[in-house]
């Protein structure tokens, strides 16, 4: 075993291809070599989604059904719900004492969120502390590495700074984790923008073959290729990008036929839809099983959260000892 890994996902419901290639695919591979903890970070979801919480429970279960069906194995990895492991919150509080406000105010990820979600004066105290909570998630397991996408790297840097600050203020308690970037192939949404549920340009890994087909048919291709007999430019075509990922074998053939006006976009899309649906078929079958056995999924999460607490409680004892707040009388 190479060490400990923690990673988390906000419960957004059914996962799309961007989530799959941005994280899940990597997690599945890492469980063979590392002691992995994967968290449903529901408190992080509240930092921006505090007004609409009615879908939280459903979003948690749908997301974790995707995890399990895709190959996250609870025999190998510990699956937990952040809010079921209250030590994350206690450590977050303690870390918030030692984190300079200026570190949080300059965080580019939070600035971006404030802009994208148009939060401004409505930005909550919790959102400012988002990276501190994330640091608590990671440091409490003494994780050696954190697999995340590039967009999260400022958060991981803050986690390291907070960990180092604690260690130097008190005692060496925390392992300083490494950033482990996911090797993500670029997968865009059906409109050519970044794939995202809120932009409604997502293809979910659980989508039926019919839905996959409809979504792929709606994709924008090379605007200069209108008829079959027009020569195409695969390098600017989202459909071709998908072939790159899902149809490596036929790629040279497709590229050549597109360029030579021997392959029309409709046929090209139909072919892609068939290949993508087929590659997700066994996933869909496993998913059906969990959909019909939801209690099993809750059992995994409840058991995992209890398992996680054994580790988090031990770390918290160390933390309090180091801070000399472990008084009992
Ligand atoms: N911020 C992460 C995201 O949006 C989710 C997250 C929360 C996380 N805590 C974490 C990821 C700890 C890695 C480790 O994707």
């Amino acid at each position: 075993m190479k060490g400990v890994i923690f990673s988390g996902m906000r419960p957004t419901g059914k996962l799309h291809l961007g989530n799959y290639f941005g994280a899940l695919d990597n997690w599945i591979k890492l469980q063979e070599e590392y002691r992995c903890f994967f968290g449903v970070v529901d408190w992080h979801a509240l930092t921006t989604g505090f007004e609409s919480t009615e879908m939280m429970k459903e979003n948690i279960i749908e997301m974790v059904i995707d995890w399990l069906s895709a190959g996250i194995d609870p025999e190998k990895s510990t699956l937990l719900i952040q809010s079921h492991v209250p030590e994350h919150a206690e450590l977050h509080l303690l870390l918030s004492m030692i984190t300079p406000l200026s570190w949080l105010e300059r965080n580019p990820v939070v600035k971006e969120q404030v802009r994208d979600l148009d939060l401004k004066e409505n930005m909550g105290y919790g959102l400012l502390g988002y990276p501190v909570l994330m640091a608590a998630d990671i440091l409490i397991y003494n994780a050696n590495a954190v697999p995340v996408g590039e967009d999260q790297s400022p958060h991981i840097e803050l986690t390291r700074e907070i960990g180092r600050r604690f260690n130097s203020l008190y005692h060496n308690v925390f392992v300083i984790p490494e950033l482990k970037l996911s090797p993500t192939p670029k997968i865009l949404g059906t409109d050519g923008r970044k794939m995202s549920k809120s932009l409604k340009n997502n293809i979910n890994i659980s989508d039926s073959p019919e839905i996959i087909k409809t979504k792929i048919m709606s994709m924008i291709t090379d605007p200069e290729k209108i008829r079959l007999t027009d020569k195409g430019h695969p390098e600017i075509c989202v459909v071709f990008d998908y072939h790159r990922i899902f149809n490596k074998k036929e790629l040279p053939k497709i590229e050549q036929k597109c360029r030579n006006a021997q392959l029309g976009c409709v046929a090209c899309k139909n072919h892609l839809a068939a290949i993508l649906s087929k590659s997700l078929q066994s996933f869909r079958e496993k998913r059906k099983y969990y959909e019909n056995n939801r209690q099993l999924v809750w059992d995994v999460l409840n058991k995992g959260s209890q398992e996680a607490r054994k580790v988090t409680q031990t770390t918290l004892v160390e933390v309090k000892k180091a801070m000399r707040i472990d008084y009992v009388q």
Side-chain angles (χ1 to χ4, degrees):
M1 282 275 164
K2 280 191 182 166
V4 176
I5 271 191
F6 182 90
S7 197
M9 264 190 226
R10 280 172 290 170
T12 52
K14 290 177 176 164
L15 298 178
H16 55 61
L17 290 171
N19 303 132
Y20 181 79
F21 288 110
L24 200 54
D25 180 43
N26 199 24
W27 290 10
I28 293 162
K29 292 175 190 141
L30 292 168
Q31 20 171 31
E32 308 301 328
E33 289 174 52
Y34 291 84
R35 167 84 182 95
C36 292
F37 294 87
F38 297 125
V40 177
V41 289
D42 51 342
W43 284 330
H44 277 106
L46 287 178
T47 61
T48 54
F50 52 86
E51 281 165 323
S52 44
T53 51
E54 67 285 350
M55 289 301 288
M56 188 76 98
K57 188 176 173 188
E58 185 65 13
N59 283 345
I60 290 173
I61 192 82
E62 290 292 352
M63 181 173 82
V64 178
I65 289 178
D66 279 348
W67 289 7
L68 295 171
S69 312
I72 298 289
D73 181 353
E75 300 285 316
K76 292 180 189 149
S77 306
T78 303
L79 278 57
L80 59 109
I81 299 182
Q82 188 184 37
S83 68
H84 288 186
V85 187
E87 291 76 23
H88 287 231
E90 196 170 345
L91 182 59
H92 165 256
L93 178 82
L94 295 174
L95 296 179
S96 78
M97 306 299 170
I98 68 158
T99 306
L101 198 50
S102 61
W103 290 7
L104 302 177
E105 284 167 343
R106 69 168 190 232
N107 186 305
V109 187
V110 174
K111 276 189 196 159
E112 220 170 88
Q113 267 177 322
V114 171
R115 194 195 59 212
D116 291 351
L117 301 171
D118 206 16
L119 295 171
K120 294 194 190 95
E121 305 83 67
N122 276 327
M123 173 173 170
Y125 164 58
L127 181 59
L128 190 67
Y130 187 110
V132 185
L133 181 56
M134 203 163 143
D137 295 341
I138 296 164
L139 297 173
I140 206 159
Y141 296 98
N142 280 309
N144 303 92
V146 190
V148 284
E150 176 82 62
D151 63 313
Q152 296 290 308
S153 75
H155 286 330
I156 306 302
E157 197 38 58
L158 254 170
T159 297
R160 291 163 55 82
E161 285 179 80
I162 294 170
R164 281 195 291 256
R165 187 164 164 91
F166 185 98
N167 286 351
S168 75
L169 276 170
Y170 308 108
H171 269 300
N172 251 326
V173 171
F174 295 125
V175 169
I176 306 303
E178 302 289 333
L179 167 70
K180 198 170 176 56
L181 284 183
S182 315
T184 345
K186 199 173 157 102
I187 187 147
L188 295 172
T190 49
D191 58 359
R193 290 186 287 172
K194 185 180 174 208
M195 190 178 287
S196 127
K197 189 178 174 181
S198 54
L199 292 175
K200 296 193 170 64
N201 62 1
N202 52 314
I203 297 179
N204 291 340
I205 54 176
S206 52
D207 279 346
S208 67
E210 296 73 37
I211 293 180
I212 289 179
K213 191 167 168 184
T214 311
K215 289 183 178 174
I216 288 184
M217 284 301 163
S218 79
M219 280 161 80
I220 316 158
T221 53
D222 175 2
E224 286 179 24
K225 185 166 167 63
I226 297 157
R227 280 172 225 91
L228 166 71
T229 50
D230 294 330
K231 289 185 177 177
H233 305 87
E235 68 279 4
I236 57 157
C237 179
V238 184
V239 176
F240 188 74
D241 283 338
Y242 276 63
H243 277 288
R244 259 189 235 283
I245 299 169
F246 299 104
N247 192 16
K248 288 196 188 79
K249 218 172 62 204
E250 291 181 295
L251 202 65
K253 192 177 87 188
I254 289 175
E255 173 163 15
Q256 192 210 355
K257 283 186 153 185
C258 174
R259 286 195 197 284
N260 295 335
Q262 292 164 330
L263 175 66
C265 295
V266 173
C268 181
K269 286 174 170 178
N270 260 320
H271 188 47
L272 173 67
I275 285 173
L276 182 53
S277 292
K278 186 149 178 275
S279 78
L280 292 168
Q281 188 183 331
S282 84
F283 166 81
R284 280 193 302 270
E285 278 156 20
K286 287 196 201 105
R287 199 178 203 288
K288 226 169 266 154
Y289 170 75
Y290 289 109
E291 281 166 7
N292 295 324
N293 292 281
R294 286 174 178 246
Q295 189 52 47
L296 218 79
V297 184
W298 287 113
D299 291 346
V300 163
L301 289 168
N302 291 332
K303 188 164 158 273
S305 301
Q306 290 317 308
E307 209 172 277
R309 290 197 75 184
K310 288 187 207 144
V311 179
T312 59
Q313 285 171 342
T314 308
T315 308
L316 212 52
V317 168
E318 295 294 313
V319 166
K320 290 184 192 171
K321 212 193 284 171
M323 294 178 80
R324 299 181 194 243
I325 55 166
D326 57 335
Y327 19 75
V328 281
Q329 51 184 338

